[in-house]
Amino acid sequence: MIPFVDLKSQYLSIKPEVDAAIQGVLDSCAFTLGPEVVAFEKEFAAYSGADIGVAVNTGTSALHLALLAAGVGRGDEVITVPFTFVATVSAIDYTGATPVFVDIDPATFTMDVTQLEAAITGKTKAIIPVSLYGQPADMGPLLEIAKKHGLVVIEDACQAHGAEYKGQRSGSLADMTCFSFYPGKNLGAYGEGGMVVTNNAEYARTIRMLRDWGAEKKYHHVLKGYNFRMEGMQGAVLRVKLRYLEGWTEARRTAAAHYDRLFEGTGVVSPKAASYSRHVYHIYAVRTRNRQAWQDALLAQGIQTGIHYPTPVHLLPAFADLGYKAGQFPHSEQAANEVLSLPMFPELTAAQREEVARAVVNLAGGEIASASSAKAL
Ligand SMILES: *Cc1c(COP(=O)(O)O)cnc(C)c1O
């Protein structure tokens, strides 16, 4: 069996350090926030090219609080893409603001920045480009448009730890950048976690208060806040894992380059890394018109795959109230129908990659053969 991800082998590779870090938190009894979380905030902000990090309990909370810090609320509009994990849009909804969608560039699966300006209205307050699968959107023109219209940019980098745009890290591009440390993400906690990084001290101060009941100091609640604190154990585990992140990211990039080579000239539609990006391959998704058949056939050969994501958010029942219809965001809809995520994790071996690629190329080859024999008839 080739799994889609393998959290166990990664844990075993760093077990003594992780176990000691967890024991340290048990010994200190600093179970929520505390010195390990403070140290992790500093270390991860530095890694991401930002001045300040504020750790929270999930990536969703990071997005939610970043929006609140930007002053987003009822009556405002926030622009994002429909081809994302639902949390991006839920975070907008939590603030009372209205999500407004812009379609994706089908080549990169990120926001089509050429369509952005047409979506801006007098109510637009912020833009959330999603660095889907591990590469940023075309941030240069996006930031220019935001500046021209006075909009706050919040990068959803929940899948893009260590990604870069023209040599600059996700974390140093937007006004605020949000990360998730869900276990399956490129930097994963042993539980839940998230962070907002920023160079703006005022945003950071507001988020710090909002995550801890809006308190300026103990029991002095100046904002209506939340309990979105990061746990001490997650901070301690994440500090250990951060030291390995660059190595793991390079292993993902090596694996992706290997897949790319194995698919070259075979008719398999492999994902495109834009020339501006350092893609960190949280997901390696190919496209196929026969996804269900491919997924079933691969599973029968012992190869697990995933679908990220099968329904664009504008067509999810939960967001029917937004009033969107099928056909409005064709590139997002087509991607949702065609993408198939292949096994991708740092410990994936060259032999496993070859086995996966052989199986996928066989499926694609069979289709090309049957399509051309159909044409011959
Ligand atoms: C994982 C993810 C989130 C949410 O992060 P959680 O930590 O699971 O709350 C938000 N946006 C994207 C694109 C994600 O992949």
Side-chain angles (χ1 to χ4, degrees), residues 237-312:
V237 168
L238 286 163
R239 286 188 75 196
V240 170
K241 294 186 77 178
L242 179 57
R243 299 199 281 272
Y244 293 90
L245 181 58
E246 273 304 289
W248 289 333
T249 299
E250 281 309 316
R252 285 175 184 273
R253 288 170 52 76
T254 299
H258 189 199
Y259 273 146
D260 285 349
R261 277 199 306 283
L262 293 165
F263 292 141
E264 221 171 88
T266 64
V268 175
V269 184
S270 54
K272 178 175 166 230
S275 59
Y276 58 67
S277 77
R278 181 198 193 209
H279 198 316
V280 296
Y281 292 100
H282 174 58
I283 299 285
Y284 186 98
V286 296
R287 281 179 183 262
T288 165
R289 296 256 161 91
N290 297 310
R291 181 173 61 198
Q292 190 62 56
W294 282 32
Q295 191 167 38
D296 295 346
L298 291 170
L299 191 60
Q301 296 169 68
I303 298 167
Q304 287 182 347
T305 56
I307 298 171
H308 304 90
Y309 297 89
T311 310

Side-chain angles (χ1 to χ4, degrees), residues 60 78 80-101 311-326 328-329:
T60 308
V78 177
T80 191
V81 286
F83 191 57
T84 182
F85 181 56
V86 67
T88 314
V89 184
S90 292
I92 298 168
D93 184 65
Y94 297 159
T95 68
T98 303
V100 171
F101 296 120
T311 310
V313 178
H314 70 288
L315 301 180
L316 286 173
F319 288 97
D321 61 332
L322 295 177
Y324 287 106
K325 288 186 182 58
Q328 281 186 273
F329 304 102

Side-chain angles (χ1 to χ4, degrees), residues 316-366:
L316 286 173
F319 288 97
D321 61 332
L322 295 177
Y324 287 106
K325 288 186 182 58
Q328 281 186 273
F329 304 102
H331 293 306
S332 293
E333 292 165 28
Q334 191 177 350
N337 285 330
E338 294 185 353
V339 290
L340 183 66
S341 311
L342 302 184
M344 172 54 74
F345 50 91
E347 299 77 15
L348 190 70
T349 66
Q352 288 176 315
R353 267 125 54 184
E354 277 157 18
E355 188 179 332
V356 171
R358 204 158 35 237
V360 171
V361 168
N362 271 338
L363 287 163

Side-chain angles (χ1 to χ4, degrees), residues 58-61 63 84-85 87-88 130 132 156 158-159 180-182 185 192-193 309:
T58 65
T60 308
S61 298
L63 289 162
T84 182
F85 181 56
T88 314
V130 180
L132 200 76
D156 181 343
C158 286
Q159 302 187 359
S180 165
F181 307 114
Y182 178 76
K185 299 290 164 84
E192 306 275 355
Y309 297 89

